[in-house]
């Protein structure tokens, strides 16, 4: 990959940076840098495309000179790809490209879509309060995606995360075995579903499974559920403020009242 990057300018990285920035502005990947296959697999088959890694390199390379590259470069990420149609709806924009969850788009299509919403959010092509525009957009899309999937471990420090999990009642006690924890949490949600507190859709999203095992002294039931989905459910129906961090509280309020609400409406 390094050889491919340097080959653009015959060993001069500056040419590669100019090449990246032209793509960020809507240009073509004429050198096939983002669609190429790199390295080899363990069985010596051809390597795979490395869209995410290449975009991360372009992002950090252009970040070194913000003034020259005020747009920056968008990092390819599945969370951003999933967020694109939701943000389009929030901005009353029609999607110009439908992303398939199973395939990687071309860098041109990906940048074109993110440029569509970037241009609606920013009035010009200059730095936004000292930050590159794609940097701000990436941060927003990634954070909304983390809330949507109920995975906040990278948004909070250890103490904040512990307080949050305890606040929403999904913490395990010191004396509790993982198997007993799963049973307790699953039965809690089953009871809420039976009493009408949870909708059928909410309950199904938890992916609760009950497995039966025949033992010599009877039948043993074991329970499992998707922890992240449980977190997402509690984030959706939180009545108070589950965070002590005011910045995360603002993100949560926006996610629940705007982003998640828009996605829920889109799926109806």
């Amino acid at each position: 990959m390094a050889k491919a990057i340097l080959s653009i300018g015959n060993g001069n990285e500056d040419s590669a940076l100019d090449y990246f920035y032209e793509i960020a502005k809507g240009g073509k990947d004429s050198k096939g840098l983002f669609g190429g296959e790199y390295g080899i697999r363990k069985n010596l088959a051809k390597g795979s495309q490395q869209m995410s890694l290449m975009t991360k390199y372009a992002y950090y390379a252009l970040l070194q000179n913000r003034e020259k590259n005020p747009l920056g470069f968008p990092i390819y990420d599945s969370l951003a790809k999933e967020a694109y149609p939701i943000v389009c709806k929030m901005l009353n924009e029609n999607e110009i490209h439908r992303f398939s969850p199973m395939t990687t788009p071309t860098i041109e299509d990906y940048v074109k879509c993110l440029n569509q919403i970037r241009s609606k959010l920013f009035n010009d092509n200059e730095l936004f309060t000292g930050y590159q525009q794609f940097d701000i957009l990436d941060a927003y899309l990634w954070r909304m995606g983390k809330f949507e999937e109920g995975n906040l471990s990278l948004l909070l420090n250890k103490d904040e995360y512990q307080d949050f999990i305890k606040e929403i009642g999904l913490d395990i006690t010191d004396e509790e075995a993982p198997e007993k924890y799963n049973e307790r949490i699953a039965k809690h949600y089953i009871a809420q579903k039976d009493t009408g507190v949870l909708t059928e859709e909410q309950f199904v999203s938890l992916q609760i499974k009950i497995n039966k095992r025949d033992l010599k002294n009877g039948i043993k039931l074991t329970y499992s559920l998707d922890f992240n989905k449980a977190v997402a459910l509690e984030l959706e129906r939180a009545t108070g403020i589950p965070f002590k961090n005011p910045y995360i509280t603002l993100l949560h309020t926006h996610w629940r009242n705007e982003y998640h609400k828009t996605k829920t409406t889109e799926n109806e």
Side-chain angles (χ1 to χ4, degrees), residues 191-217:
Q192 289 201 333
K193 188 252 186 183
D194 291 342
T195 55
V197 175
L198 286 184
T199 66
E200 182 67 26
E201 183 180 3
Q202 288 173 325
F203 181 75
V204 169
S205 74
L206 297 170
Q207 300 177 27
I208 292 175
K209 296 179 182 178
I210 305 174
N211 298 313
K212 296 181 180 180
R213 284 191 293 168
D214 292 323
L215 303 176
K216 290 183 179 180
N217 57 348

Side-chain angles (χ1 to χ4, degrees), residues 132-152:
Q132 292 171 322
Q133 292 188 14
F134 276 126
D135 194 10
I136 295 291
L137 181 57
D138 281 352
Y140 171 76
L141 299 177
W142 186 80
R143 282 160 174 75
M144 290 300 101
K146 286 297 183 183
F147 270 93
E148 194 64 36
E149 65 178 15
N151 184 6
L152 305 188

Side-chain angles (χ1 to χ4, degrees), residues 181-191 208 223-225:
Y181 167 80
N182 286 341
E183 179 178 350
R184 173 172 64 85
I185 299 299
K187 284 184 175 180
H188 166 72
Y189 286 120
I190 291 171
I208 292 175
Y223 296 76
S224 64
L225 75 160

Side-chain angles (χ1 to χ4, degrees), residues 163-176:
D163 290 341
F164 162 63
I165 294 300
K166 290 177 182 178
E167 180 68 24
I168 62 176
L170 290 177
D171 54 310
I172 188 170
T173 63
D174 293 336
E175 304 80 15
E176 199 171 22

Side-chain angles (χ1 to χ4, degrees), residues 2 75 105 107 155 199 205 228 233 238:
I75 295 175
I107 188 64
L155 285 174
T199 66
S205 74
N228 285 350
L233 174 62

Side-chain angles (χ1 to χ4, degrees), residues 6 10 32 62 65 104 111 113 116 121 132 170 192 219 221 224 246:
L6 289 175
N10 296 318
L62 294 181
N65 191 336
T104 302
V111 170
C113 290
Q116 177 191 7
L121 294 171
Q132 292 171 322
L170 290 177
Q192 289 201 333
I219 296 175
L221 301 180
S224 64

Side-chain angles (χ1 to χ4, degrees), residues 30-74:
S30 58
K31 305 292 186 181
L33 207 63
F34 292 86
E37 297 174 336
Y38 295 96
I40 57 173
R41 300 180 188 273
K42 291 180 180 179
N43 64 356
L44 304 188
K46 288 183 178 180
S48 60
Q49 290 185 16
Q50 298 292 328
M51 173 83 86
S52 180
L53 182 57
M54 185 65 81
T55 59
K56 284 185 176 72
Y57 181 86
Y59 163 83
Y60 283 110
L62 294 181
L63 187 63
Q64 303 310 306
N65 191 336
R66 299 180 185 182
E67 287 72 22
K68 182 182 177 183
N69 309 298
L71 296 186
F73 199 94

